[in-house]
Amino acid sequence: MNVFSFIFSPTGGTKKVADIVASCFLGDYQSIDLTRPVDFMMTLTETDIAILAVPSFGGRVPAVALERLRQIKAERTRAVLLVSFGNRAIDDAMIELYDEAVKIGFLPFAGIAAVTEHSIFREYGKNRPDESDKRQLTEFALKINDALDLERSLRDY
């Protein structure tokens, strides 16, 4: 199994969370930084796992992040959707990411909303994710991994 993280993280908060989650999955791992302009075309298969990690800016997924995600072609690839937010709210960002993921060909399997330090007003969510956040993210990611393993074994049965 190949595990891919596609991360849009202008201030590093989303990457911190994505790295915590990704560390819980076994398999060949590749992290793709979507923050800077990248020109790639990639096809993922049904046996791959993808983590799609973006921040919520004003309750939305940054348009440039969606543009860069559209360079991926997914063929029924299981996806973990991750939206980080600066201690405020994600509003419609998860729905927006879900809709885009489905259009690309992903099968969203789980969603994570994670508090990070605010990108402008650093006193909000300062030092997040903290140790408690990391513990919760790890526990949840391990549960997602277990559910994916079960789903795979049932599919192969």
Side-chain angles (χ1 to χ4, degrees), residues 18-156:
D19 288 346
I20 294 165
V21 171
S23 71
C24 297
F25 292 88
L26 298 175
D28 293 329
Y29 177 67
Q30 185 176 356
S31 178
I32 296 94
D33 181 6
L34 301 178
T35 309
R36 306 219 185 306
V38 289
D39 188 21
F40 72 96
M41 286 302 294
M42 189 169 212
T43 301
L44 304 181
T45 68
E46 201 171 324
T47 61
D48 296 323
I49 302 295
I51 299 166
L52 309 180
V54 299
S56 173
F57 287 171
R60 305 295 304 269
V61 176
V64 68
L66 294 176
E67 288 172 23
R68 292 176 185 163
L69 283 171
R70 290 182 190 120
Q71 295 179 77
I72 306 163
K73 181 180 180 203
E75 297 173 351
R76 300 183 49 79
T77 307
R78 303 309 184 263
V80 176
L81 309 181
L82 192 158
V83 177
S84 68
F85 61 103
N87 208 38
R88 186 189 149 275
I90 64 169
D91 295 329
D92 290 339
M94 185 67 76
I95 295 167
E96 200 172 11
L97 182 58
Y98 175 90
D99 289 345
E100 197 60 41
V102 169
K103 286 179 195 172
I104 293 168
F106 287 106
L107 295 176
F109 193 84
I112 298 171
V115 177
T116 57
E117 190 171 286
H118 196 280
S119 62
I120 299 169
F121 302 106
R122 300 283 191 188
E123 65 272 16
Y124 297 107
K126 189 170 183 71
N127 300 320
R128 303 285 298 271
D130 59 21
E131 289 308 312
S132 176
D133 297 326
K134 290 175 186 176
R135 230 179 356 268
Q136 288 179 3
L137 287 164
T138 299
E139 288 172 13
F140 190 57
L142 289 171
K143 287 179 183 179
I144 293 168
N145 196 31
D146 288 346
L148 283 166
D149 285 344
L150 177 61
E151 190 262 353
R152 265 193 304 278
S153 64
L154 290 173
R155 187 178 46 193
D156 294 340

